[in-house]
Amino acid sequence: MRILVVEDEKKVSTFIQRGLGEEGFSVDVAFDGEEGVDKAENQTFDLILMDIMLPKKDGLAAIKELRDKQIMTPVLCLTARDSVDDKVTGLDIGADDYLAKPFAFAELVARCRALIRRGSKDRGAEIFFADLRLDPVAHKVWRSGNEIDLTSKEYALMEYFMRHPNQPLTRAMIAENVWDYTFDSFTNIIDVYVNYLRNKIDRDYDKKLIHTVRGQGYMLKEL
Ligand code: CA
């Protein structure tokens, strides 16, 4: 079980890393919000422990960014402030639970185990569409049982399609959700990536699944 700890206070992160390590977890640490988002985006974790007060990007902004990018790893917020607002906001934008500092270590471990159990049940559930299968934990995609080798961006685009089947996805929506950029002068890249994805997903199959919706964008659909 891999846990990402995003915490700028070295003493706290070392303490958590050592303690969770002794409990059998493998722990990676990021020291600011940007590094945390970067690691969560490029590696696979079973859980993220996110401090709220962080340099560069605070914990709430980091969680929102991850959820906007469709990264649904369970997040446990660590908050020093005993502020109800922080907790409510945190849960609102997609955190799964929170724990106020200072906390008892046994409590932290119990919460981690509970979230990982829950996460592997719903968040990590595989998604199926037509003969496609996507494993959001392993970041893998199969068509008709054949694994399709995707880059991380292609995978993110595929996951976005599979979480929103049968609805037109505009280039603006794709830009925002997969790249986290606004639409301006970004059309090209999206078309290029959709073509990469089509080559891998559809080219060798009679039934095409990624369709162009004229004047709108793209849609994952069967007919
Ligand atoms: Ca902090």
Side-chain angles (χ1 to χ4, degrees):
M1 292 287 128
R2 296 192 70 213
I3 299 183
L4 175 64
V5 177
V6 190
E7 165 66 82
D8 57 313
E9 287 160 75
K10 294 239 157 77
K11 242 159 84 179
V12 179
S13 59
T14 305
F15 167 71
I16 294 176
Q17 186 171 31
R18 192 170 301 152
L20 289 178
E22 282 166 11
E23 295 290 326
F25 296 101
S26 138
V27 180
D28 198 349
V29 178
F31 296 101
D32 62 61
E34 279 178 10
E35 191 189 1
V37 169
D38 198 52
K39 286 193 169 175
E41 205 181 349
N42 292 301
Q43 302 174 40
T44 306
F45 295 97
D46 300 287
L47 177 68
I48 299 169
L49 298 189
M50 182 77 76
D51 187 28
I52 298 290
M53 303 281 277
L54 289 168
K56 293 194 184 169
K57 182 173 284 164
D58 72 45
L60 296 176
I63 294 165
K64 181 166 188 313
E65 189 175 339
L66 290 175
R67 296 306 186 233
D68 285 350
K69 289 178 171 168
Q70 306 293 318
I71 294 164
M72 296 305 183
T73 313
V75 174
L76 173 60
C77 276
L78 302 176
T79 165
R81 295 181 277 183
D82 196 24
S83 138
V84 175
D85 278 358
D86 271 3
K87 292 169 186 169
V88 172
T89 311
L91 295 176
D92 244 22
I93 60 178
D96 298 84
D97 198 1
Y98 58 84
L99 192 57
K101 291 197 273 188
F103 47 80
F105 201 79
E107 177 70 18
L108 176 69
V109 173
R111 300 280 189 102
C112 288
R113 291 199 196 288
L115 282 176
I116 288 173
R117 250 195 326 269
R118 203 172 88 195
S120 56
K121 239 189 306 180
D122 17 292
R123 287 278 169 71
E126 294 190 337
I127 310 170
F128 296 87
F129 182 83
D131 55 353
L132 287 169
R133 172 159 77 96
L134 181 143
D135 178 341
V137 176
H139 284 201
K140 287 183 174 177
V141 176
W142 294 262
R143 181 154 186 192
S144 289
N146 302 312
E147 188 180 340
I148 297 162
D149 188 28
L150 300 177
T151 65
S152 63
K153 265 302 162 213
E154 290 164 357
Y155 169 82
L157 181 58
M158 193 64 224
E159 183 171 343
Y160 185 57
F161 272 124
M162 286 190 70
R163 288 191 187 279
H164 305 87
N166 301 312
Q167 46 177 294
L169 303 176
T170 65
R171 292 180 181 83
M173 288 161 74
I174 295 171
E176 261 187 59
N177 285 283
V178 180
W179 273 267
D180 199 35
Y181 294 146
T182 45
F183 183 46
D184 313 342
S185 71
F186 203 63
T187 334
N188 243 349
I189 300 210
I190 290 164
D191 294 339
V192 167
Y193 269 89
V194 169
N195 275 330
Y196 289 159
L197 202 53
R198 276 180 163 154
N199 278 336
K200 294 185 177 181
I201 299 288
D202 277 340
R203 194 185 52 201
D204 298 338
Y205 298 85
D206 288 338
K207 191 192 229 175
K208 309 301 177 197
L209 298 173
I210 300 172
H211 297 265
T212 303
V213 185
R214 282 189 67 157
Q216 294 193 61
Y218 297 99
M219 178 158 34
L220 184 70
K221 60 172 181 170
E222 285 206 61
L223 293 171

